Amino acid sequence: MEIRFGFGNERGRVLVEVSPNADPVAVGKTERELGMPVCTASVEFSAQGYRSLLGWVQLVREPSATDRFGIDPFDLFADSSAPFAWYGIRPVLFDAPSRWRSDAVRWEAHSFLTIGPWDLDRRLVVPLVGFAWGYEQDPEERLRLSPVRLLGPADWDGHRRYMSERYPTWRFSNGDHLAEQH
């Protein structure tokens, strides 16, 4: 999936690929994760230098669709006071979940590419792109990858209260910028 976005005079796009994990060991997992989803989202953005610093905020929900979403930080940064799982100049989102259970599971991620406008407030998180992805596992451990779909302003806004409580030193703008992605 290709998602185009803009921020001010800058333009960019995100290329999202979700596929079954065909070689778990090659991506740092165990053979047990064969067939689990692998998500890679690469970023192209016309901004340069510090203005091209972006962050991925990812929230996940498991084991069922009735559970609440929670932040999904990269394990190395689990105790970070920042909401980002990946951060940098045009950062790549890479995730290969390994949450196997012996019963039915519906695992869903809401992944948002964000920017912190340097001219306004470095602790302000503005969403630029949002997409959902995940998988379902039945009691016999058969997997079905969920189709990637765009997320809109209401999806981001539905997470803002939780993120504000979890990261009180950060501010989370409304999701209006997500209406511009296509």
Side-chain angles (χ1 to χ4, degrees):
M1 171 184 271
E2 177 181 348
I3 309 168
R4 295 188 175 275
F5 68 93
F7 187 76
N9 294 326
E10 306 295 345
R11 298 292 169 254
R13 71 180 184 152
V14 173
L15 301 173
V16 181
E17 180 181 346
V18 178
S19 59
N21 194 339
D23 190 355
V25 174
V27 297
K29 305 301 268 185
T30 68
E31 289 294 331
R32 177 86 171 116
E33 280 77 48
L34 184 67
M36 291 289 286
V38 173
C39 179
T40 305
S42 57
V43 177
E44 297 174 4
F45 190 41
S46 62
Q48 300 296 310
Y50 293 119
R51 292 186 185 279
S52 65
L53 284 168
L54 304 167
W56 284 102
V57 174
Q58 181 164 277
L59 299 107
V60 297
R61 167 170 66 188
E62 69 171 324
S64 73
T66 59
D67 290 314
R68 293 179 49 123
F69 279 90
I71 202 75
D72 185 26
F74 183 57
D75 285 344
L76 294 175
F77 308 122
D79 59 348
S80 173
S81 63
F84 310 110
W86 304 271
Y87 186 83
I89 295 175
R90 298 176 202 92
V92 173
L93 178 156
F94 173 82
D95 198 8
S98 57
R99 294 168 171 92
W100 283 89
R101 300 191 193 297
S102 60
D103 54 356
V105 174
R106 181 172 177 215
W107 187 93
E108 182 179 12
H110 282 187
S111 303
F112 297 96
L113 179 66
T114 67
I115 192 166
W118 284 82
D119 299 347
L120 301 175
D121 179 352
R122 293 180 186 180
R123 291 279 179 153
L124 175 64
V125 180
V126 178
L128 302 173
V129 167
F131 66 93
W133 64 282
Y135 71 93
E136 292 182 23
Q137 173 185 300
D138 68 21
E140 287 78 40
E141 295 191 6
R142 291 181 300 238
L143 288 174
R144 184 181 69 77
L145 274 54
S146 305
V148 177
R149 64 180 174 83
L150 281 179
L151 296 174
D155 296 298
W156 171 264
D157 291 342
H159 298 304
R160 285 176 64 204
R161 181 175 177 178
Y162 163 77
M163 291 188 295
S164 295
E165 291 171 356
R166 175 86 161 71
Y167 300 101
T169 62
W170 291 83
R171 292 184 328 108
F172 298 89
S173 79
N174 64 37
D176 290 350
H177 274 90
L178 292 174
E180 299 173 22
Q181 68 181 344
H182 60 278

